[in-house]
């Protein structure tokens, strides 16, 4: 009987080529761009004390209440696989004493874990690239990171990503708004889904972004945070819009963006895919969290950041280059030339060329090798005894059939 085969756990997946190559491209472009904007990399652990997330993301949020992978370790401490990166980053920022210096910009990447219902673009293990700017109070940095994301999408040839912004107010004006919202929602409980009925008292803002049709209808005329902003929040939001115009970054104001994490203050934003992602259409999302550093035991340090979902972004990228065009050369050799061919193969790779040749021990005819070459690379390097005795190698262009002789040292880029 065949041995048992295993499959990945539901909601967890393998990222295979060519998708993994699209990911590499995203990561390379993002790193370069983030660094142009002054962000430096932090590598954060995947496990944290559960309390870190409860305190920062908020006990009544879906993430903390329903979606965390939490367990007791061997000493009985409650640990969780991180559902996001901001809480960990702020923890690391304080732990390393970075709050003692001036403003800092940091980025991170890696897997996050949420026990959500898997569907297109939504997984239980997913990857984020995130940036956080700490110590900047004004709206210029808010606009800067939104402009940076737009540049990233341009570099990656991702089209149709629309920026939506909102302001959620601050600790001064939010409580007043919350009261107005609760007053509006009370009495409408029977028109809401079971989750939203609970949210009315616990986390009323979340009712505004519930996907259920009946909740949307019930909340259609709900008061908006934008109408209850204090003077400082209003001028921050206006400043943000002025800078977005200056940076030529198109946006729409969407008063329904509330975000699913409690730490947000003032700016909240999302980049949404206009098509290609279905219901899970947020490619990147973030906002300001001016009270979080303090809530986690630090001084008053404002913060703003975002995270983008790699799976979702990869789905929007142009189709990856087919495997055929992945190589620079394919080496074809006569039986006696196997050893020199292997040496040339290594030397070319050492120079950063992408090269393959037929590697198995059983000889293969030149014709059969040329077939492999035609599939794999635009040019074949043919290593034959007669030419090689004169230190020459033949290059054949696969598309046109054109051949030319070049010296071995030229191929190897030798002086
Ligand atoms: P978030 O909106 O929870 O924010 O997630 C950010 C992005 O991660 C989403 O827009 C989406 O692209 C991706 N994402 C989230 N959940 C999943 C999932 N289950 N499967 C696939 N992709 C997913 C945060 O995590 C905040 N920490 C962002 C932030 C940083 N705010 C300030 N700084």
């Amino acid at each position: 009987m065949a041995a048992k085969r295993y499959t990945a756990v539901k909601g967890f997946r393998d990222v295979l080529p060519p998708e993994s190559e699209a990911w590499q491209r995203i990561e390379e472009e993002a790193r370069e761009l983030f660094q142009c904007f002054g962000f430096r990399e932090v590598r954060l652990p995947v496990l944290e004390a559960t309390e870190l997330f409860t305190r920062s993301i908020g006990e009544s949020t879906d993430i903390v209440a329903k979606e965390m992978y939490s367990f007791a370790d061997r000493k009985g401490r409650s640990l969780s696989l991180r559902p996001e990166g901001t809480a960990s980053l702020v923890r690391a920022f304080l732990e390393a004493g970075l709050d003692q210096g001036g403003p800092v910009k940091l980025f991170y990447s890696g897997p996050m874990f949420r026990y959500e219902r898997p569907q297109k673009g939504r997984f239980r293990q997913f990857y984020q690239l995130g940036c956080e700017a700490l110590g900047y109070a004004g709206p210029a940095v808010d606009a800067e990171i939104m402009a940076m994301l737009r540049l990233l999408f341009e570099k990656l040839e991702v089209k149709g990503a629309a920026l939506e912004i909102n302001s959620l107010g601050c600790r001064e004006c939010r409580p007043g708004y919350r009261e107005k919202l609760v007053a509006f929602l009370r009495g409408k409980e029977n028109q809401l889904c079971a989750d939203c009925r609970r949210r009315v008292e616990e986390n009323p803002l979340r009712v505004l972004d519930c996907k259920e049709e009946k909740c949307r209808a019930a909340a259609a005329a709900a008061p908006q945070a934008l109408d209850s902003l204090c003077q400082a929040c209003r001028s921050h939001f206006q400043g943000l819009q002025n800078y977005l115009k200056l940076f030529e970054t198109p946006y729409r104001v969407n008063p329904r963006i509330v975000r699913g994490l409690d730490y947000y203050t003032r700016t909240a934003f999302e980049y949404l895919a206009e098509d290609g992602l279905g219901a899970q259409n947020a490619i990147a999302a973030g906002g300001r969290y001016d009270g979080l550093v303090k809530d986690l035991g630090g001084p008053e340090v404002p913060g703003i950041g975002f995270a983008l979902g790699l799976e979702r972004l990869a789905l929007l990228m142009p189709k990856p280059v087919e495997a055929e065009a992945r190589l620079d050369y394919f080496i074809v050799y006569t039986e006696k030339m196997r050893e020199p061919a292997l040496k040339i193969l290594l030397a070319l790779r050492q120079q950063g060329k992408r090269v393959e040749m037929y590697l198995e021990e059983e000889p293969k005819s030149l014709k059969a090798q040329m077939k492999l070459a035609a599939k794999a690379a635009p040019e074949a390097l043919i290593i034959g005894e007669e030419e090689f005795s004169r230190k020459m190698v033949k290059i054949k262009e696969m598309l046109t059939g054109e051949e030319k002789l070049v010296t071995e040292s030229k191929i190897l880029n030798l002086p």
Side-chain angles (χ1 to χ4, degrees):
M1 210 174 69
K4 179 178 171 194
R5 287 199 188 201
Y6 297 89
T7 52
V9 174
K10 187 175 175 197
F12 288 65
R13 62 192 284 271
D14 306 304
V15 182
L16 303 172
E19 188 189 354
S20 55
E21 281 142 8
W23 284 39
Q24 283 173 8
R25 197 174 150 214
I26 297 174
E27 285 165 345
E28 281 161 20
E29 296 280 10
R31 268 166 205 279
E32 216 182 290
L33 188 68
F34 292 172
Q35 285 172 28
C36 291
F37 278 76
F39 289 89
R40 299 175 72 189
E41 183 167 17
V42 189
R43 307 252 175 164
L44 300 164
V46 167
L47 268 186
E48 297 276 3
T50 301
E51 202 188 331
L52 175 69
F53 302 118
T54 339
R55 285 286 306 282
S56 53
I57 301 171
E59 224 148 344
S60 67
T61 57
D62 285 354
I63 297 181
V64 168
K66 301 194 235 168
E67 296 169 0
M68 287 229 285
Y69 281 90
S70 303
F71 59 92
D73 76 357
R74 289 177 192 277
K75 289 228 166 97
R77 293 170 288 223
S78 179
L79 302 181
S80 295
L81 289 174
R82 60 178 180 194
E84 60 111 44
T86 311
S88 303
L89 187 123
V90 170
R91 195 252 325 120
F93 166 83
L94 288 173
E95 194 168 338
L98 299 179
D99 56 308
Q100 302 304 315
V104 282
K105 290 173 168 179
L106 300 166
F107 77 91
Y108 52 89
S109 67
M112 308 291 158
F113 304 84
R114 295 183 196 173
Y115 194 87
E116 291 192 270
R117 196 167 50 79
Q119 62 185 83
K120 183 174 179 184
R122 186 157 81 187
F123 307 97
R124 289 178 174 171
Q125 174 175 327
F126 58 96
Y127 285 74
Q128 284 186 344
L129 271 167
C131 287
E132 314 288 351
L134 289 140
Y136 299 82
V141 74
D142 306 26
E144 192 181 66
I145 61 175
M146 297 176 202
M148 176 173 83
L149 276 166
R150 185 180 59 90
L151 292 180
L152 179 64
F153 299 148
E154 263 170 34
K155 276 179 185 283
L156 295 171
E157 300 159 83
V158 165
K159 300 202 174 64
L163 171 62
E164 296 194 341
I165 60 171
N166 191 19
S167 176
L168 300 172
C170 63
R171 293 187 179 192
E172 298 300 316
C173 53
R174 174 99 58 89
Y177 169 62
R178 191 184 189 280
E179 259 175 48
K180 281 190 210 160
L181 184 61
V182 175
F184 172 88
L185 292 170
R186 265 190 210 133
K188 293 196 172 53
E189 278 95 345
N190 55 357
Q191 300 165 40
L192 301 174
C193 71
D195 277 337
C196 283
R197 261 186 304 239
R198 182 176 46 80
R199 286 175 186 140
V200 171
E201 302 296 331
E202 275 181 7
N203 206 345
L205 266 74
R206 290 296 327 264
V207 177
L208 300 182
D209 82 340
C210 180
K211 300 267 185 292
E212 295 267 340
E213 206 40 62
K214 59 179 177 184
C215 301
R216 288 182 158 270
Q224 297 176 354
L226 284 181
D227 297 326
S228 300
L229 297 183
C230 62
Q231 186 48 43
C233 287
R234 211 170 312 140
S235 95
H236 190 98
F237 195 53
Q238 191 50 55
L240 163 64
Q241 297 182 64
N242 296 344
Y243 286 118
L244 284 174
K245 286 179 191 133
L246 184 75
F247 295 149
E248 293 173 31
T249 301
Y251 67 92
R252 294 193 275 268
V253 173
N254 178 356
R256 299 195 81 88
I257 293 185
V258 297
R259 314 280 302 121
L261 306 94
D262 282 353
Y263 51 61
Y264 289 112
T265 52
R266 294 193 170 162
T267 310
F269 73 97
E270 293 184 344
Y271 266 100
L272 303 170
E274 273 156 354
D275 49 32
L277 284 185
Q280 302 305 318
N281 64 344
I283 320 166
R288 197 161 258 290
Y289 44 85
D290 291 345
L292 181 58
V293 176
K294 193 159 184 216
D295 283 350
L296 292 178
E300 287 277 0
V301 178
I304 175 154
F306 70 86
L308 71 80
L310 269 171
E311 289 81 1
R312 295 186 191 176
L313 190 54
L315 278 172
L316 299 171
M317 301 247 305
K319 284 272 160 292
V321 186
E322 292 302 316
E324 282 96 271
R326 284 185 44 247
L327 296 184
D328 298 311
Y329 300 111
F330 192 91
I331 296 178
V332 168
Y333 56 98
T334 57
E335 207 178 324
K336 290 208 177 108
M337 288 291 99
R338 181 169 165 88
E339 284 188 5
L342 280 165
K343 285 193 156 180
I344 292 176
L345 175 69
L346 183 66
L348 286 173
R349 286 171 169 172
Q350 228 168 351
Q351 291 169 31
K353 297 278 190 314
R354 299 178 181 212
V355 198
E356 292 279 5
M357 63 182 241
Y358 171 71
L359 220 52
E360 296 302 334
E361 302 296 326
E362 309 78 50
K364 220 184 214 346
S365 72
L366 278 185
K367 199 172 153 205
Q369 291 180 61
M370 286 307 280
K371 267 196 174 164
L372 295 178
K375 274 199 208 146
E379 291 185 314
L381 288 188
I382 306 168
I383 304 172
E385 284 140 67
E386 198 272 319
E387 293 95 358
F388 199 70
S389 67
R390 294 186 282 124
K391 299 225 172 298
M392 302 294 269
V393 175
K394 207 188 275 171
I395 301 186
K396 178 171 179 164
E397 206 181 302
M398 302 311 292
L399 213 60
T400 58
E402 211 172 282
E403 295 185 344
K404 61 179 179 214
L405 270 179
V406 296
T407 59
E408 184 197 0
S409 52
K410 184 155 183 230
I411 277 290
L412 295 181
N413 243 333
L414 299 175

